[in-house]
């Protein structure tokens, strides 16, 4: 059984559990306990008990510990990547990239002495000065999805604790092992007990966090449905919430795009991480006379991608997270065909290997009216749609209920600018397939891709995990 962490104590609970798989083989490698209100209460109390001293600790002390944590993560980067590949399935290179992007948030958090500064204005009225200070909010909790078991927890707790909060992390029950190693290294860095606690489980654990009176803020990343639920339920209890949801990202390919660069970028966006990422390009919109050459080039390149276990050299696409999820993706492909899409590249034969594999699949002639053009599929499926003009392509992207990312491939600055201005998505790529903001900017989903006001990481993250106190003084 995978242990959970309360204070400085790791416990292997005697609880009902779920298997954790190696998706590349289908073997059960661990069991994760399905904890509930009792363990969440213990974790929240431990976080609350640690809160007073931690919130008063000198900022430089917190920054020094964060630097130590960053060094430990760096030294264990290969180990963390191997853990990710083993229970998530992505390739080792993708896992290394995930660790790197997570560590960048820790590096950002090392800037605590600058990030936590307030502002002042002397002589705001005669003899009156005004100061703004940042204070921690108290205890924050993080609920994370399966697809980035190391990076997404690192989007949350390093900034929260840097700001003087204590934290309860509830990682995905499908990929809980990354969070365990992150917490072990956190204690090794010297953070006091109770500053970070880890509980495992699914809906019961989440509900207990959302309802717990000691928890002041909730950070969530996962599917749209759960994001909306978490947002509503936590807000009802007066908690601060940031809840990032799903996506249906469009990639517009203009007639003047350099296809030698655009096609590999489109493929990487659609099939990297086996399509299991919220910044996966899901629909490529071929504009004007790009159409035939683009579809042929994508098909040709997709057929060359190597599918296999993520820890084998030369593999481009690892397995999906579970057999049921793979079956759901296949159902989307088949529904697409029944709704009129043309199956150009068919990855379904990869189902014959052991593990939860599916090969890269390309559907052409998809429209926003079809499920394949509208739903988040979260697998290695690229839909291609067609548009006469840039305006038509933007209208297709804007028809989505999501607004995470949209990208354009073009040689025209004017087209890129028009796209940036008119597209209703919070992360825009120009000749870039995966428009992931760096740690010091917010992860800025719009529409159904985000519920809340302040996004994850960047200065939004600092604002989310702090509250401001205004001091107006007159000394005469
Ligand atoms: P999920 O919503 O199933 O699970 C996310 C978390 O919520 C998990 O910790 C899970 O235990 C919990 N949960 C699940 N169902 C719940 C319920 N009914 N009540 C309470 N808690 C519940 O998401 P997932 O399948 O793990 O992750 C994939 C999804 O996450 C995709 O939709 C993807 O787009 C999204 N995602 C979004 C971002 C982003 O930044 N916008 C990043 C990564 C993933």
């Amino acid at each position: 059984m995978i242990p959970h962490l309360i204070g400085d104590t790791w416990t292997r609970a005697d609880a009902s559990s779920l298997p954790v798989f190696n998706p590349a083989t289908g073997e059960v490698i661990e069991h994760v306990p399905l904890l509930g209100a009792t363990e969440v209460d213990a974790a929240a109390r431990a976080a609350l008990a640690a809160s007073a001293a931690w919130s008063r600790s000198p900022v430089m002390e917190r920054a020094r510990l964060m630097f130590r944590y960053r060094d430990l993560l760096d030294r264990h980067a290969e180990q963390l990547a191997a853990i990710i590949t083993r229970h998530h399935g992505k390739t080792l290179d993708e896992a290394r990239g995930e660790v790197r992007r997570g560590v960048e948030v820790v590096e950002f958090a090392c800037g605590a002495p600058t990030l936590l500064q307030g502002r002042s204005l002397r002589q705001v009225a005669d003899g009156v000065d005004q100061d703004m200070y940042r204070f921690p909010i108290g205890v924050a909790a993080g609920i994370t999805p399966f697809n980035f078991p190391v990076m997404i927890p690192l989007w949350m707790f390093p900034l929260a604790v840097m700001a003087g909060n204590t934290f309860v992390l509830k990682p995905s029950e499908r990929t809980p092992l990354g969070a365990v190693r992150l917490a072990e290294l956190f204690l090794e860095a010297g953070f006091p007990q109770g500053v970070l606690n880890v509980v495992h489980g699914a809906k019961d654990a989440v509900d207990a966090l959302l309802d717990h009176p000691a928890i002041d803020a909730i950070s969530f990343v996962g599917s749209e449905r759960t994001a909306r639920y978490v947002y509503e339920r936590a807000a009802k209890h007066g908690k601060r919430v940031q809840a990032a949801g799903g996506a249906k990202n469009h990639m517009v390919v203009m007639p003047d795009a350099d296809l030698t660069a655009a096609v590999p970028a489109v493929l990487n966006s659609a099939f990297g991480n086996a399509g299991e990422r919220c910044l996966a390009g899901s629909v490529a919109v071929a504009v004007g006379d790009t159409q035939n050459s683009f579809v042929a080039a994508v098909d040709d390149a997709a057929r060359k991608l190597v599918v296999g276990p993520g820890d084998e050299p030369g593999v481009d696409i690892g397995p999906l997270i579970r057999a049921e999820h793979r079956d759901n993706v296949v159902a989307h492909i088949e529904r697409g065909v029944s709704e009129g899409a043309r199956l150009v590249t068919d990855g379904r034969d990869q189902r014959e290997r052991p593990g939860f594999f599916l090969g890269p699949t390309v559907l052409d002639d998809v429209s926003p009216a079809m499920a394949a053009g509208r739903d988040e599929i979260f697998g290695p499926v690229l839909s291609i749609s067609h548009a006469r003009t840039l305006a038509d392509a933007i209208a297709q992207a804007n028809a989505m209920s999501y607004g995470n990312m949209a990208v354009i491939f073009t040689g025209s600055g004017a087209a890129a600018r028009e796209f940036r201005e008119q597209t209703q998505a919070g992360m825009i790529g120009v000749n870039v397939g995966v428009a992931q903001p760096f740690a010091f900017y917010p992860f800025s989903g719009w529409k159904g891709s985000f519920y809340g006001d302040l996004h994850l990481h960047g200065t939004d993250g600092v604002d989310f995990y702090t509250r401001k106190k205004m001091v107006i003084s007159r000394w005469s």
Side-chain angles (χ1 to χ4, degrees):
M1 190 75 87
I2 299 171
H4 64 281
L5 173 66
I6 307 233
D8 59 356
T9 308
W10 289 97
T11 306
R12 292 180 196 278
D14 182 15
S16 61
S17 65
L18 285 177
V20 176
F21 293 89
N22 176 346
T25 60
E27 287 162 349
V28 174
I29 52 174
E30 259 297 357
H31 283 87
V32 63
L34 292 172
L35 304 178
T38 308
E39 295 82 3
V40 164
D41 182 55
R45 282 169 189 275
L48 188 61
S51 173
W54 181 246
S55 67
R56 284 195 303 267
S57 61
V59 175
M60 283 310 295
E61 218 167 85
R62 280 183 250 151
R64 224 168 274 132
L65 289 170
M66 200 56 77
F67 273 108
R68 235 185 270 161
Y69 188 46
R70 185 243 172 235
D71 285 349
L72 277 169
L73 291 174
D74 233 24
R75 266 192 274 143
H76 292 85
E78 266 310 294
Q79 183 194 49
L80 286 163
I83 291 171
I84 295 170
T85 295
R86 183 156 182 263
H87 77 321
H88 173 278
K90 66 182 73 178
T91 69
L92 266 177
D93 268 354
E94 289 168 339
R96 290 181 183 118
E98 169 177 346
V99 175
R100 179 97 290 283
R101 297 308 296 262
V103 171
E104 283 168 7
V105 185
V106 178
E107 288 167 343
F108 177 61
C110 288
T114 311
L115 296 171
L116 294 176
Q117 285 176 14
R119 290 194 280 135
S120 336
L121 183 61
R122 55 164 283 281
Q123 191 66 355
V124 67
D126 199 24
V128 177
D129 305 325
Q130 175 156 339
D131 302 290
M132 185 272 274
Y133 295 91
R134 286 179 188 276
F135 282 75
I137 41 184
V139 179
I143 300 154
T144 54
F146 80 84
N147 64 329
F148 286 96
V150 164
M151 180 184 76
I152 292 181
L154 290 176
W155 283 2
M156 300 175 177
F157 71 81
L159 281 178
V161 306
M162 170 282 285
N165 302 287
T166 55
F167 206 86
V168 181
L169 173 64
K170 205 297 287 173
S172 167
E173 66 278 22
R174 287 184 281 182
T175 51
L177 294 168
V180 170
R181 193 66 191 119
L182 287 177
E184 286 170 351
L185 294 172
F186 188 84
L187 289 177
E188 199 177 321
F191 285 93
Q193 62 159 295
V195 172
L196 175 66
N197 307 274
V198 181
V199 287
H200 299 290
K203 184 172 169 46
D204 286 351
V206 171
D207 286 349
L209 288 168
L210 303 179
D211 296 346
H212 201 288
I215 293 174
D216 302 289
I218 300 283
S219 298
F220 172 87
V221 178
S223 61
E224 189 275 340
R225 222 168 110 177
T226 323
R228 187 151 31 96
Y229 168 77
V230 164
Y231 179 68
E232 289 172 358
R233 185 156 174 164
K236 215 173 269 173
H237 292 293
K239 298 186 200 310
R240 196 177 276 208
V241 196
Q242 50 179 196
K248 185 74 178 174
N249 304 311
H250 281 52
M251 301 180 283
V252 172
V253 184
M254 295 296 285
D256 62 0
D258 170 6
L259 288 190
T260 57
V263 169
V266 164
L267 254 75
N268 175 276
S269 183
F271 301 132
N273 224 58
E276 289 174 330
R277 73 184 157 192
C278 68
L279 292 182
S282 182
V283 180
V285 190
V287 178
D289 57 13
T290 328
Q291 316 200 350
N292 294 338
S293 50
F294 176 70
V295 176
V298 164
D299 177 37
D300 189 47
R303 285 171 196 273
K304 294 189 179 118
L305 293 173
V306 178
V307 178
D311 57 359
E312 283 185 8
V315 164
D316 299 301
I317 303 183
L320 291 174
I321 189 68
R322 292 285 179 272
E324 309 82 71
H325 178 56
R326 190 251 323 263
D327 296 345
N328 194 28
V329 175
V330 169
H332 262 99
I333 297 168
E334 288 165 0
R335 180 161 172 204
V337 173
S338 73
E339 288 181 344
R342 189 169 65 87
L343 189 57
V344 177
T345 322
D346 186 355
R348 287 175 299 172
D349 55 345
Q350 292 291 338
R351 284 179 295 176
E352 279 148 34
R353 356 168 29 124
F356 313 139
F357 289 95
L358 183 65
T361 298
V362 180
L363 292 169
D364 193 13
D365 294 326
V366 172
S367 79
M370 300 176 186
R374 203 177 51 228
D375 295 352
E376 180 178 51
I377 298 176
F378 226 55
V381 180
L382 174 65
S383 298
I384 299 179
S385 73
H386 299 274
R388 278 181 303 107
T389 62
L390 174 60
D392 293 343
I394 293 174
Q396 285 188 26
N398 287 350
M400 298 300 114
S401 57
Y402 298 107
N404 222 31
M405 177 189 87
V407 308
I408 186 169
F409 293 94
T410 181
S412 156
R417 186 172 192 283
E418 179 66 6
F419 186 78
R420 184 195 74 199
E421 292 294 306
Q422 301 301 336
T423 307
Q424 293 160 14
M427 292 172 274
I428 299 290
V430 178
N431 297 322
V432 165
V434 179
Q436 180 172 0
F438 284 86
F440 18 93
Y441 285 97
F443 198 90
S444 192
W446 285 15
K447 294 161 74 179
S449 297
F450 184 76
Y451 295 96
D453 304 289
L454 293 164
H455 291 82
L456 289 125
H457 66 66
T459 44
D460 267 25
V462 178
D463 283 335
F464 182 78
Y465 292 122
T466 53
R467 51 186 168 174
K468 301 177 184 89
K469 191 175 276 188
M470 305 298 159
V471 180
I472 294 107
S473 336
R474 183 197 296 277
W475 293 98
S476 48

